């Protein structure tokens, strides 16, 4: 009865969301229809599709709905249909849910957070009229990630009880599909498809793929990063461990999918240029190999001192890859990566790999390739000393590789290809760490840490005094508003927007001055076309407005050569009267390339003056076309179709520390309860990971990695990342796992049975 009631409630909420959602998004209705049909066919389907949808499908920059949106719709469909199609546990499988007392306390606490959130502000089903961070329902919007994580667990537990092996496989595959989809988005965002499909030389086609010197950090399609933050970092550290565990668990095509997912997500980590995320990635790999070594203690005990020395020498070579990149560029890194992989593959096939007359020429050819890269590079020093240094490094790689082949024999199978993948990835990370961008980031560690500590002290100053705040916190999502009140000068650069509905003057937008705020709408821009822009506005004092067209995703970088065409408009004081300004802009090259080769095109407004400007209506018309390209140009639907961006000033929006954020929002009681639940999940997950449970290993590594990212950021201030994190917490803490050893042969996906 309770599940039916929950399903009906979720369907009712979905109905109201769809009824009020902005028109014109056919893809949303099509995806919801197909997704619903598949979930009705098999209750396991959401395990495959939901991760990819959550990590890539975000309509907020188009719809303007930064509150309740398609994210909630997908979750409501999943929950409602999942509760209607709950399978029964198979005979012989014991109770799935454990730690029921802790679960009861956790449910009561989350219910209390929900009650507080509803008291702060009811869910705003309509359009937003101000910045979402200042909206009355922000507490609910920030709490819903934790709540969705718990509710999603109520679907996962019965599936695991019905068929543990199948549930595990589909969960791992779904994470790999999500990682692969996110990797494609990141490649598109970095312009890789544009360069690969160009007609230039090979190094020009690989320019965007291998460019790790830019200051641009990827954001994927996560609209939550329009004010900065670590959403994508938290998500990446969710998918990396799952793809790692999947590489060991699967055989055949699904293992190759896991490898692609791991490479793609690792590429995303490399493109984030976030030092803490790099550290979390290293911790993830370290713990992963630690688990593997702990499960092979008997084998390690048989190793001699010479064997350990050989392993240490080969690991030390990895530290030279950054030097190889500086000496020889990407060709040298590729050559060194192939040399490392060659040693591992040769050890798996000793019949041929231990024949020096085959192994040494292969090493020699790869070394010559690396030296060729150094001699033909436009950036590397081509003197005698650099060339000899590079040759010496290649000789060391070959020498230690021969020692490794002589002393070790890697079994063919999953471990071999996991090792090859990791070695090639090490070569990629060598190019990242040896690049100009990361060298610059390393030199500013002390300065950035001082700024961060100063910011944390200002965060504490923004908290209200009194025992209630200390014990219960300021409330979920209340930081931006509290920080703006406590430090108004630091929040001025963020600007602001608000739509007013006046019975006498009608609807109008107030665009508050802010050096870092742009209000934009994604529109189709015809390149090399003259546009006529008419805008009715008023201002109490002289001001200025910048408007125009751009290609942009979520955030710009400080040194980017952006594709824009804009005009600056001087606004005179209108003494309260509405005045219409007309501007003509040539779109130039904006929108010239096809969508898969560029970022979306937008029309944007920016208040470049010192006072707020009120805007009553915006018309944008292409030459010879009577239709207005702008939707909701009169703001009668609030901020629907409009979205705002802060490219550089981010501290007023984010606490930048997960642990301080828990204390600020939930107080000492929240630190005790959330910290206790997370700590118990980490402890129990470690035990299950060491026992050989691949899903527990993936979940445990994900949680630990996100906690590392949280030292210098808060990846959980996004509902998507928070959902994934707390879903894993619930799985680790409350699931009685069935034993499935790592690396054991598993049935193919096609043999998993029907729905």
């Amino acid at each position: 009865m309770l599940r039916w009631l929950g399903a009906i409630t979720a369907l009712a909420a979905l109905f109201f969301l769809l009824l009020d959602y902005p028109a014109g998004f056919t893809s949303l209705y099509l995806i919801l229809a197909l997704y619903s049909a598949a979930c009705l066919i098999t209750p396991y389907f959401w395990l495959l599709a939901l991760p990819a949808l959550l990590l890539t499908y975000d309509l907020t920059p188009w719809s303007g709905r930064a509150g309740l949106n398609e994210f909630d719709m997908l979750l409501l469909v999943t929950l409602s249909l999942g509760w209607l199609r709950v399978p029964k546990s198979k005979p012989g499988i014991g109770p799935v849910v454990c730690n029921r007392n802790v679960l009861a306390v956790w449910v009561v606490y989350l219910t209390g957070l929900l009650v507080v959130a509803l008291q702060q502000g009811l869910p705003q089903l309509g359009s937003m009229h101000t910045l979402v961070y200042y909206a009355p329902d922000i507490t609910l919007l920030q709490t819903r990630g934790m709540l969705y994580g718990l509710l999603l667990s109520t679907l996962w537990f019965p599936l695991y009880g019905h068929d543990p092996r199948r549930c595990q496989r589909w969960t791992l595959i779904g994470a790999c599909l999500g990682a692969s989809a996110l990797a494609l988005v990141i490649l598109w965002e970095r312009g890789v498809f544009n360069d690969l499909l160009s007609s230039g030389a090979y190094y020009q086609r690989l320019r965007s793929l291998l460019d790790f010197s830019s200051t641009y950090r990827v954001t994927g399609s996560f609209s939550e990063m329009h004010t900065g933050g670590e959403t994508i970092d938290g998500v990446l550290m969710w998918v990396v461990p799952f793809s790692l565990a999947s590489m060991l668990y699967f055989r055949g095509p699904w293992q190759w999918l896991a490898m692609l997912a791991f490479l793609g997500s690792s590429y995303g980590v490399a493109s984030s240029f976030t030092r803490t995320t790099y550290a979390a990635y290293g911790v993830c790999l370290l713990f992963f190999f630690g688990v593997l070594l702990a499960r092979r203690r008997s084998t390690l005990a048989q190793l001699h001192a010479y064997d350990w020395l050989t392993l240490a020498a080969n690991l030390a070579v990895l530290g030279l890859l950054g030097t190889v990149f500086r000496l020889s560029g990407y060709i040298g890194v590729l050559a060194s990566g192939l040399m490392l992989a060659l040693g591992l593959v040769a050890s798996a096939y000793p019949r041929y790999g231990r024949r020096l007359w085959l192994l040494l020429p292969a090493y020699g050819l790869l070394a010559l390739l690396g030296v060729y890269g150094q001699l033909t590079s436009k950036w590397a020093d081509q003197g005698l000393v650099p060339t000899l240094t590079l040759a010496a490094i290649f000789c060391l790689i070959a020498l230690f590789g021969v020692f490794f082949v002589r002393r070790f024999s890697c079994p063919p199978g999953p471990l071999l290809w996991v090792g090859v993948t990791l070695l090639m990835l090490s070569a990629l990370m060598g190019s990242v760490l040896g690049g100009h961008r990361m060298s610059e980031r390393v030199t500013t560690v002390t300065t950035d840490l001082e700024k961060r500590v100063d910011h944390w002290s200002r965060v504490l100053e923004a908290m209200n005094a009194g025992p209630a705040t200390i014990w219960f916190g300021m409330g979920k999502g209340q930081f931006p508003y509290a920080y703006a009140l406590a430090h108004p000068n630091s929040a001025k650069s963020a600007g602001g927007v608000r739509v007013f509905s006046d019975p006498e003057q009608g609807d109008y937008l107030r665009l508050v001055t802010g050096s870092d705020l742009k209000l934009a709408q994604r529109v189709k821009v015809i390149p090399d076309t003259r546009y006529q822009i008419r805008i009715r506005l008023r201002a109490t004092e002289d001001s200025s407005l910048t408007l125009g067209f751009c290609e942009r995703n979520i955030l710009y970088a400080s040194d980017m050569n952006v594709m824009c065409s804009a005009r600056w408009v001087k606004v005179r004081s209108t003494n309260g009267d509405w005045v219409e300004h007309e501007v003509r802009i040539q779109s130039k090259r904006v929108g010239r390339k096809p969508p898969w080769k560029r970022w979306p095109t937008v029309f944007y407004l920016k208040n470049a003056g010192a006072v707020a400007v009120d805007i009553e209506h915006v018309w944008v018309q292409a030459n010879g076309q009577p239709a207005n390209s702008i939707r909701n140009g009169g703001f009668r639907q609030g901020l629907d179709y409009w979205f705002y961006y802060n490219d550089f000033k981010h501290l007023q929006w984010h606490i930048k520390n997960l642990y301080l954020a828990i204390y600020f929002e939930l107080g000492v009681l929240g630190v005790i309860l959330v910290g206790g639940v997370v700590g118990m999940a980490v402890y129990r997950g470690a035990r299950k990971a060491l026992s050989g449970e691949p899903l527990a290993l993936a979940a445990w590594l994900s949680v630990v990695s996100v906690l590392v990212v949280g030292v210098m950021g808060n990846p959980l201030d996004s509902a998507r990342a928070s959902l994934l994190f707390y879903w894993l917490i619930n799985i680790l803490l409350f699931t009685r796992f069935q034993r499935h050893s790592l690396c054991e042969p598993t049935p193919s996906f096609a043999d998993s049975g029907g729905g």
Side-chain angles (χ1 to χ4, degrees), residues 174-373:
C176 291
L177 291 175
S180 302
L182 179 59
L184 291 176
V185 173
I186 291 174
L187 291 174
W188 162 81
E189 181 185 5
R190 285 176 56 85
V192 174
F193 296 146
N194 175 47
D195 289 346
L196 288 178
L197 298 175
S198 65
S199 57
Y202 78 93
Y203 55 85
Q204 293 177 329
R205 296 190 179 192
L206 298 177
R207 178 181 53 189
S208 297
L209 179 67
L210 301 176
D211 179 17
F212 295 104
S213 60
S214 169
T215 59
Y216 180 77
R217 58 174 302 218
V218 295
T219 61
S221 57
F222 297 108
S223 61
E224 299 95 327
M225 295 195 67
H226 67 136
T227 59
E230 292 78 30
T231 299
I232 194 168
D233 303 278
V235 169
L236 286 170
M237 296 319 301
W238 182 79
V239 296
V240 166
F242 272 84
S243 54
L244 263 176
S246 299
M247 283 195 295
L248 289 181
Y249 183 67
F250 289 115
R251 297 286 195 274
W254 300 116
Q255 186 184 50
W256 290 105
L257 171 65
M259 290 182 184
L260 291 176
F262 177 67
L263 288 174
S265 54
S266 299
Y267 182 81
V269 171
S271 305
S272 69
F273 298 117
T274 307
R275 290 161 294 195
T276 314
T277 306
Y278 288 175
Y281 184 83
V283 169
C284 175
L285 293 181
L286 182 65
F287 282 5
F288 176 75
F289 284 113
V291 170
L292 294 185
L293 293 176
R295 289 181 51 78
R296 289 163 174 79
R297 290 187 295 269
S298 59
T299 302
L300 296 178
Q302 301 175 6
L303 296 181
H304 300 288
Y306 184 79
D307 298 321
W308 286 107
L309 184 62
T310 301
L311 287 175
N314 279 274
L315 289 176
V317 167
L318 297 178
L320 299 175
L321 294 180
T323 304
V324 172
F325 174 74
R326 288 189 289 270
L327 292 174
S328 183
Y330 289 108
I331 294 181
V333 168
L334 175 63
S336 57
L338 290 175
M339 291 177 73
L340 292 170
L342 175 62
L344 192 62
V345 174
S347 70
Y349 301 96
R351 180 179 178 183
Y352 302 101
R354 293 181 179 177
R355 298 183 180 182
L356 295 181
W357 63 272
L358 287 177
L359 189 60
L360 292 180
Y363 276 131
L365 289 176
L366 292 174
L368 288 176
L369 175 64
V371 174
Y372 168 80

Side-chain angles (χ1 to χ4, degrees), residues 447-459:
T447 304
D448 293 342
L449 181 59
E450 292 175 353
K451 292 179 180 179
R452 195 62 56 87
V453 172
D454 179 67
H455 174 62
W456 292 337
S457 65
R458 294 165 68 87
V459 169

Side-chain angles (χ1 to χ4, degrees), residues 496-500 508-512 538 540 612-615:
V497 294
R498 184 177 180 86
V499 175
F500 292 89
Y508 63 92
L509 170 79
R510 176 159 294 171
L511 187 59
V512 180
R538 67 183 181 187
T540 57
V613 174
D614 293 341
I615 302 174

Side-chain angles (χ1 to χ4, degrees), residues 12-49:
L14 174 65
F15 172 77
F16 284 110
L17 282 179
L18 287 171
L19 195 64
D20 188 71
Y21 200 76
F25 296 96
T26 307
S27 66
L28 174 62
Y29 306 114
L30 181 61
I31 287 177
L32 289 177
L34 295 176
Y35 181 69
S36 301
C39 288
L40 286 174
I41 294 174
T42 171
Y44 288 85
F45 180 77
W46 67 270
L47 295 173
L48 290 182

Side-chain angles (χ1 to χ4, degrees), residues 635-654:
F635 306 103
R636 291 179 177 82
Q637 299 170 257
L639 289 174
D640 279 358
Y641 305 107
W642 295 92
F643 195 56
Y644 49 94
Y645 303 88
N646 285 105
D647 289 315
F648 309 113
K649 307 291 185 180
H650 300 154
L651 292 183
Q652 60 265 29
W653 304 113
H654 304 283

Side-chain angles (χ1 to χ4, degrees), residues 165 168-169 172 245-251 694 741 744 746:
R165 185 179 294 278
Q168 176 174 254
R169 279 199 306 276
L172 292 173
S246 299
M247 283 195 295
L248 289 181
Y249 183 67
F250 289 115
R251 297 286 195 274
S741 177
E744 71 173 356
T746 60

